[in-house]
Amino acid sequence: MSPERLVLVYDDRAGLASAVAARFYETIGGILETKPVAHIVFTGGTVGGEILAAIGASGQRDSLDWSRVELWWGDERWLPAGDPERNDTLADDGLLAGLVAQGLLAPARIHRLPASDGPLDLDAAAGSYAAELSRSARKGEPVPDFDLLFLGVGPDGHVASLFPEYDGIRVTEPTVVAVRNSPKPPPERLSLTLPAINRADRVWLCLAGADKAPALGLALAGANTVEVPVAGVSGRVRTIFFLDRDAAAEVPPELLADDGTTA
């Protein structure tokens, strides 16, 4: 059976974030009914931050068994720990700090990518995170069985820190790549590779704004992955594009789905 792809459209960013948060609890709750642990990969970006805040503000937050959740990141900016531009800082502010403070989530289950003020250089940091992923995976597998992986998409079609025509989008091994000379600041980053991303069962791509519409249109039309990285993203079970109406401007109507499908 081929993986399923859905395109869901909401009136605005607030509606998008609220819908993703509700579906998050439905999906992870269902996973935890069948598995002892759920592995989730977070993303950064403005929309990603709004979604994490909506997850944190949800009335369902305290009913989820966070002690059975392992959290990872798809990419990170090579900045000092706690820097406001880091993706994990965004997640702390919107969701994680509250969970940890209330004892709902142990810090050991939050797998942060290394920071620039730590003991490792950029290449060693990539290797360290790849090793951490491997240690949490089933024997012989390079990464855990990611149940849900979030991604944002840039106006140029980049995902995580895999940019068009850059070396990172071409890397197949290892699972984590050191990124230099990024076309958007900061220039140094860490990122999962595309094969690692595509090992997730469910990939949720969350886009808002008219500047995202052209890249999304190209991706859905089957563009070359090196030129439009988002075109190469595919979850093993399901891939869902969550869009506001501006981002959906170039999506053919026949690709749109109703927001009633179990994720």
Side-chain angles (χ1 to χ4, degrees), residues 74 91 99 115 129 156 172 183 222 225 249 258:
L99 293 174
Y129 204 65
D156 60 355
T172 57
T225 298
D258 293 328

Side-chain angles (χ1 to χ4, degrees), residues 78-83 86 114-120:
W78 188 239
L79 296 169
D83 189 287
R86 279 181 61 94
S116 64
D117 57 346
L120 304 176

Side-chain angles (χ1 to χ4, degrees), residues 127-202:
S128 174
Y129 204 65
E132 185 173 358
L133 286 163
S134 179
R135 287 193 298 271
S136 294
R138 289 182 289 113
K139 185 176 181 179
E141 297 295 326
V143 299
D145 295 326
F146 296 141
D147 294 287
L148 174 59
L149 185 148
F150 286 94
L151 284 175
V153 180
D156 60 355
H158 82 264
V159 291
S161 286
L162 305 175
F163 296 95
E165 305 289 355
Y166 276 65
D167 290 342
I169 189 57
R170 297 180 171 91
V171 172
T172 57
E173 292 182 356
T175 55
V176 183
V177 64
V179 177
R180 293 180 171 85
N181 301 314
S182 162
K184 60 179 294 188
E188 295 183 325
R189 297 158 174 257
L190 296 164
S191 180
L192 295 185
T193 59
L194 186 60
I197 288 170
N198 286 343
R199 293 184 71 86
D201 283 347
R202 302 160 188 81

